mmCIF file of all heavy atoms in Angstrom:
data_model
loop_
_atom_site.group_PDB
_atom_site.id
_atom_site.type_symbol
_atom_site.label_atom_id
_atom_site.label_comp_id
_atom_site.label_asym_id
_atom_site.label_seq_id
_atom_site.Cartn_x
_atom_site.Cartn_y
_atom_site.Cartn_z
ATOM 1 N N LYS A 223 28.200 33.015 -58.997
ATOM 2 C CA LYS A 223 27.894 33.745 -60.217
ATOM 3 C C LYS A 223 27.548 35.177 -59.860
ATOM 4 O O LYS A 223 26.788 35.433 -58.920
ATOM 5 C CB LYS A 223 26.718 33.085 -60.932
ATOM 6 C CG LYS A 223 26.435 33.682 -62.293
ATOM 7 C CD LYS A 223 25.303 32.924 -62.977
ATOM 8 C CE LYS A 223 24.988 33.539 -64.334
ATOM 9 N NZ LYS A 223 23.884 32.834 -65.014
ATOM 10 N N GLY A 240 28.896 14.693 -55.193
ATOM 11 C CA GLY A 240 27.748 14.982 -54.346
ATOM 12 C C GLY A 240 26.590 14.041 -54.608
ATOM 13 O O GLY A 240 25.901 13.597 -53.685
ATOM 14 N N VAL A 247 23.994 7.978 -48.828
ATOM 15 C CA VAL A 247 23.228 8.322 -47.622
ATOM 16 C C VAL A 247 21.833 7.709 -47.678
ATOM 17 O O VAL A 247 21.358 7.109 -46.711
ATOM 18 C CB VAL A 247 23.128 9.857 -47.460
ATOM 19 C CG1 VAL A 247 22.150 10.211 -46.339
ATOM 20 C CG2 VAL A 247 24.497 10.456 -47.159
ATOM 21 N N ALA A 272 26.109 0.043 -48.333
ATOM 22 C CA ALA A 272 25.562 0.985 -49.314
ATOM 23 C C ALA A 272 26.651 1.504 -50.240
ATOM 24 O O ALA A 272 26.462 1.589 -51.456
ATOM 25 C CB ALA A 272 24.874 2.145 -48.594
ATOM 26 N N THR A 286 25.401 -11.025 -47.266
ATOM 27 C CA THR A 286 24.227 -10.468 -47.952
ATOM 28 C C THR A 286 23.057 -11.440 -47.945
ATOM 29 O O THR A 286 21.902 -11.048 -47.768
ATOM 30 C CB THR A 286 24.576 -10.117 -49.411
ATOM 31 O OG1 THR A 286 25.743 -9.277 -49.428
ATOM 32 C CG2 THR A 286 23.415 -9.398 -50.090
ATOM 33 N N GLY A 287 23.326 -12.726 -48.126
ATOM 34 C CA GLY A 287 22.265 -13.714 -48.253
ATOM 35 C C GLY A 287 21.540 -14.024 -46.958
ATOM 36 O O GLY A 287 20.334 -14.290 -46.964
ATOM 37 N N GLN A 303 22.443 -1.133 -59.493
ATOM 38 C CA GLN A 303 22.033 -0.686 -60.825
ATOM 39 C C GLN A 303 22.268 0.812 -61.002
ATOM 40 O O GLN A 303 22.757 1.259 -62.041
ATOM 41 C CB GLN A 303 20.550 -1.013 -61.036
ATOM 42 C CG GLN A 303 20.053 -0.787 -62.458
ATOM 43 C CD GLN A 303 20.402 -1.933 -63.388
ATOM 44 O OE1 GLN A 303 21.563 -2.330 -63.479
ATOM 45 N NE2 GLN A 303 19.415 -2.458 -64.080
ATOM 46 N N PHE A 391 26.213 -7.993 -64.347
ATOM 47 C CA PHE A 391 26.327 -7.032 -65.439
ATOM 48 C C PHE A 391 26.990 -5.736 -64.984
ATOM 49 O O PHE A 391 27.768 -5.127 -65.726
ATOM 50 C CB PHE A 391 24.947 -6.717 -66.029
ATOM 51 C CG PHE A 391 24.992 -5.716 -67.149
ATOM 52 C CD1 PHE A 391 25.406 -6.098 -68.415
ATOM 53 C CD2 PHE A 391 24.662 -4.393 -66.932
ATOM 54 C CE1 PHE A 391 25.476 -5.165 -69.450
ATOM 55 C CE2 PHE A 391 24.724 -3.458 -67.952
ATOM 56 C CZ PHE A 391 25.133 -3.854 -69.217
ATOM 57 N N TRP A 430 30.342 -1.317 -77.638
ATOM 58 C CA TRP A 430 29.186 -2.020 -78.197
ATOM 59 C C TRP A 430 28.409 -1.153 -79.177
ATOM 60 O O TRP A 430 27.935 -1.634 -80.209
ATOM 61 C CB TRP A 430 28.270 -2.496 -77.058
ATOM 62 C CG TRP A 430 28.888 -3.572 -76.243
ATOM 63 C CD1 TRP A 430 29.332 -3.482 -74.957
ATOM 64 C CD2 TRP A 430 29.170 -4.916 -76.658
ATOM 65 N NE1 TRP A 430 29.872 -4.685 -74.540
ATOM 66 C CE2 TRP A 430 29.777 -5.581 -75.566
ATOM 67 C CE3 TRP A 430 28.961 -5.627 -77.844
ATOM 68 C CZ2 TRP A 430 30.178 -6.906 -75.631
ATOM 69 C CZ3 TRP A 430 29.363 -6.957 -77.895
ATOM 70 C CH2 TRP A 430 29.955 -7.583 -76.806
ATOM 71 N N LEU A 466 48.043 -22.970 -65.414
ATOM 72 C CA LEU A 466 49.346 -23.609 -65.224
ATOM 73 C C LEU A 466 49.821 -23.524 -63.768
ATOM 74 O O LEU A 466 50.364 -24.492 -63.217
ATOM 75 C CB LEU A 466 50.385 -22.967 -66.142
ATOM 76 C CG LEU A 466 50.174 -23.169 -67.655
ATOM 77 C CD1 LEU A 466 51.210 -22.384 -68.447
ATOM 78 C CD2 LEU A 466 50.238 -24.656 -68.007
ATOM 79 N N ASP A 470 47.972 -28.106 -60.044
ATOM 80 C CA ASP A 470 48.119 -29.178 -59.057
ATOM 81 C C ASP A 470 47.892 -28.702 -57.625
ATOM 82 O O ASP A 470 48.231 -29.406 -56.673
ATOM 83 C CB ASP A 470 49.506 -29.816 -59.169
ATOM 84 C CG ASP A 470 50.628 -28.797 -58.983
ATOM 85 O OD1 ASP A 470 50.328 -27.580 -58.895
ATOM 86 O OD2 ASP A 470 51.803 -29.206 -58.937
ATOM 87 N N THR A 474 42.615 -25.716 -54.843
ATOM 88 C CA THR A 474 41.920 -24.957 -55.892
ATOM 89 C C THR A 474 41.571 -25.856 -57.088
ATOM 90 O O THR A 474 40.526 -26.485 -57.109
ATOM 91 C CB THR A 474 42.771 -23.752 -56.352
ATOM 92 O OG1 THR A 474 44.080 -24.218 -56.761
ATOM 93 C CG2 THR A 474 42.939 -22.749 -55.219
ATOM 94 N N THR A 493 37.207 -12.510 -63.639
ATOM 95 C CA THR A 493 36.494 -11.843 -62.553
ATOM 96 C C THR A 493 37.275 -10.698 -61.904
ATOM 97 O O THR A 493 36.662 -9.748 -61.401
ATOM 98 C CB THR A 493 36.062 -12.865 -61.467
ATOM 99 O OG1 THR A 493 35.098 -12.270 -60.619
ATOM 100 C CG2 THR A 493 37.252 -13.354 -60.651
ATOM 101 N N LEU A 516 46.125 -9.275 -58.592
ATOM 102 C CA LEU A 516 46.360 -7.890 -58.168
ATOM 103 C C LEU A 516 46.539 -6.971 -59.375
ATOM 104 O O LEU A 516 45.971 -5.871 -59.420
ATOM 105 C CB LEU A 516 47.601 -7.816 -57.274
ATOM 106 C CG LEU A 516 47.430 -8.258 -55.821
ATOM 107 C CD1 LEU A 516 48.786 -8.368 -55.134
ATOM 108 C CD2 LEU A 516 46.531 -7.283 -55.075
ATOM 109 N N SER A 525 36.397 2.232 -70.290
ATOM 110 C CA SER A 525 35.731 3.499 -70.010
ATOM 111 C C SER A 525 34.267 3.401 -70.434
ATOM 112 O O SER A 525 33.916 2.614 -71.302
ATOM 113 C CB SER A 525 36.416 4.635 -70.776
ATOM 114 O OG SER A 525 37.768 4.755 -70.403
ATOM 115 N N GLY A 531 38.953 0.581 -62.074
ATOM 116 C CA GLY A 531 40.373 0.388 -62.349
ATOM 117 C C GLY A 531 40.917 1.536 -63.187
ATOM 118 O O GLY A 531 40.200 2.471 -63.539
ATOM 119 N N LEU A 542 52.534 1.397 -74.676
ATOM 120 C CA LEU A 542 52.903 1.933 -75.982
ATOM 121 C C LEU A 542 53.822 3.142 -75.861
ATOM 122 O O LEU A 542 54.812 3.260 -76.602
ATOM 123 C CB LEU A 542 51.644 2.328 -76.766
ATOM 124 C CG LEU A 542 50.757 1.172 -77.246
ATOM 125 C CD1 LEU A 542 49.432 1.709 -77.770
ATOM 126 C CD2 LEU A 542 51.472 0.375 -78.334
ATOM 127 N N TYR A 545 57.252 2.006 -74.708
ATOM 128 C CA TYR A 545 57.938 1.357 -75.831
ATOM 129 C C TYR A 545 58.467 2.400 -76.822
ATOM 130 O O TYR A 545 59.609 2.297 -77.299
ATOM 131 C CB TYR A 545 56.976 0.407 -76.529
ATOM 132 C CG TYR A 545 57.571 -0.324 -77.719
ATOM 133 C CD1 TYR A 545 58.566 -1.285 -77.539
ATOM 134 C CD2 TYR A 545 57.152 -0.030 -79.022
ATOM 135 C CE1 TYR A 545 59.122 -1.951 -78.621
ATOM 136 C CE2 TYR A 545 57.706 -0.694 -80.104
ATOM 137 C CZ TYR A 545 58.683 -1.646 -79.909
ATOM 138 O OH TYR A 545 59.241 -2.300 -80.986
ATOM 139 N N LEU A 548 61.566 4.053 -75.342
ATOM 140 C CA LEU A 548 62.743 3.195 -75.410
ATOM 141 C C LEU A 548 63.303 3.131 -76.835
ATOM 142 O O LEU A 548 64.512 2.965 -77.027
ATOM 143 C CB LEU A 548 62.396 1.789 -74.924
ATOM 144 C CG LEU A 548 62.033 1.675 -73.430
ATOM 145 C CD1 LEU A 548 61.605 0.254 -73.086
ATOM 146 C CD2 LEU A 548 63.223 2.098 -72.557
ATOM 147 N N MET A 574 49.531 7.256 -61.729
ATOM 148 C CA MET A 574 50.332 7.714 -60.593
ATOM 149 C C MET A 574 49.455 8.005 -59.385
ATOM 150 O O MET A 574 49.788 7.628 -58.249
ATOM 151 C CB MET A 574 51.114 8.982 -60.974
ATOM 152 C CG MET A 574 52.162 9.378 -59.950
ATOM 153 S SD MET A 574 53.418 8.088 -59.760
ATOM 154 C CE MET A 574 54.214 8.599 -58.252
ATOM 155 N N ILE A 598 46.233 -7.448 -46.823
ATOM 156 C CA ILE A 598 45.977 -6.006 -46.776
ATOM 157 C C ILE A 598 46.153 -5.378 -48.154
ATOM 158 O O ILE A 598 45.338 -4.562 -48.602
ATOM 159 C CB ILE A 598 46.908 -5.332 -45.742
ATOM 160 C CG1 ILE A 598 46.428 -5.684 -44.328
ATOM 161 C CG2 ILE A 598 46.956 -3.826 -45.932
ATOM 162 C CD1 ILE A 598 47.291 -5.153 -43.221
ATOM 163 N N LEU A 639 41.161 10.458 -61.283
ATOM 164 C CA LEU A 639 41.363 11.701 -62.017
ATOM 165 C C LEU A 639 40.262 12.707 -61.709
ATOM 166 O O LEU A 639 40.506 13.899 -61.557
ATOM 167 C CB LEU A 639 41.412 11.421 -63.530
ATOM 168 C CG LEU A 639 42.052 12.512 -64.390
ATOM 169 C CD1 LEU A 639 43.493 12.742 -63.952
ATOM 170 C CD2 LEU A 639 42.008 12.141 -65.851
ATOM 171 N N TYR A 643 40.625 16.421 -59.907
ATOM 172 C CA TYR A 643 40.029 17.701 -60.323
ATOM 173 C C TYR A 643 39.252 18.318 -59.169
ATOM 174 O O TYR A 643 39.218 19.534 -58.981
ATOM 175 C CB TYR A 643 39.081 17.484 -61.498
ATOM 176 C CG TYR A 643 39.752 17.292 -62.830
ATOM 177 C CD1 TYR A 643 39.322 16.286 -63.690
ATOM 178 C CD2 TYR A 643 40.794 18.106 -63.230
ATOM 179 C CE1 TYR A 643 39.925 16.092 -64.921
ATOM 180 C CE2 TYR A 643 41.411 17.919 -64.455
ATOM 181 C CZ TYR A 643 40.978 16.925 -65.302
ATOM 182 O OH TYR A 643 41.583 16.746 -66.510
ATOM 183 N N PHE A 644 38.625 17.446 -58.374
ATOM 184 C CA PHE A 644 37.834 17.916 -57.247
ATOM 185 C C PHE A 644 38.713 18.584 -56.188
ATOM 186 O O PHE A 644 38.342 19.584 -55.583
ATOM 187 C CB PHE A 644 37.081 16.737 -56.644
ATOM 188 C CG PHE A 644 36.283 17.081 -55.425
ATOM 189 C CD1 PHE A 644 35.085 17.752 -55.526
ATOM 190 C CD2 PHE A 644 36.738 16.714 -54.169
ATOM 191 C CE1 PHE A 644 34.348 18.066 -54.397
ATOM 192 C CE2 PHE A 644 36.003 17.017 -53.043
ATOM 193 C CZ PHE A 644 34.803 17.696 -53.152
ATOM 194 N N LYS A 650 45.765 27.765 -66.223
ATOM 195 C CA LYS A 650 46.843 28.103 -67.139
ATOM 196 C C LYS A 650 47.656 29.272 -66.593
ATOM 197 O O LYS A 650 47.105 30.279 -66.174
ATOM 198 C CB LYS A 650 46.280 28.466 -68.514
ATOM 199 C CG LYS A 650 45.617 27.290 -69.223
ATOM 200 C CD LYS A 650 45.112 27.700 -70.594
ATOM 201 C CE LYS A 650 44.492 26.507 -71.315
ATOM 202 N NZ LYS A 650 43.971 26.888 -72.656
ATOM 203 N N LYS A 652 50.281 32.332 -67.024
ATOM 204 C CA LYS A 652 50.671 33.285 -68.067
ATOM 205 C C LYS A 652 52.189 33.325 -68.252
ATOM 206 O O LYS A 652 52.674 33.722 -69.304
ATOM 207 C CB LYS A 652 50.161 34.681 -67.702
ATOM 208 C CG LYS A 652 48.635 34.768 -67.658
ATOM 209 C CD LYS A 652 48.180 36.172 -67.307
ATOM 210 C CE LYS A 652 46.645 36.241 -67.262
ATOM 211 N NZ LYS A 652 46.177 37.597 -66.910
ATOM 212 N N TYR A 655 58.621 29.352 -67.965
ATOM 213 C CA TYR A 655 60.023 29.424 -67.573
ATOM 214 C C TYR A 655 60.893 28.619 -68.525
ATOM 215 O O TYR A 655 60.407 27.799 -69.313
ATOM 216 C CB TYR A 655 60.189 28.898 -66.141
ATOM 217 C CG TYR A 655 59.416 29.688 -65.126
ATOM 218 C CD1 TYR A 655 58.174 29.250 -64.679
ATOM 219 C CD2 TYR A 655 59.925 30.887 -64.613
ATOM 220 C CE1 TYR A 655 57.448 29.981 -63.754
ATOM 221 C CE2 TYR A 655 59.214 31.619 -63.681
ATOM 222 C CZ TYR A 655 57.975 31.172 -63.260
ATOM 223 O OH TYR A 655 57.265 31.898 -62.345
#
Side-chain angles (χ1 to χ4, degrees):
K223 187 177 179 181
V247 171
T286 307
Q303 189 81 307
F391 179 77
W430 292 110
L466 294 175
D470 58 353
T474 55
T493 195
L516 282 170
S525 300
L542 290 169
Y545 180 68
L548 294 176
M574 191 62 195
I598 287 177
L639 199 60
Y643 283 135
F644 177 76
K650 294 182 178 179
K652 296 181 180 179
Y655 299 98

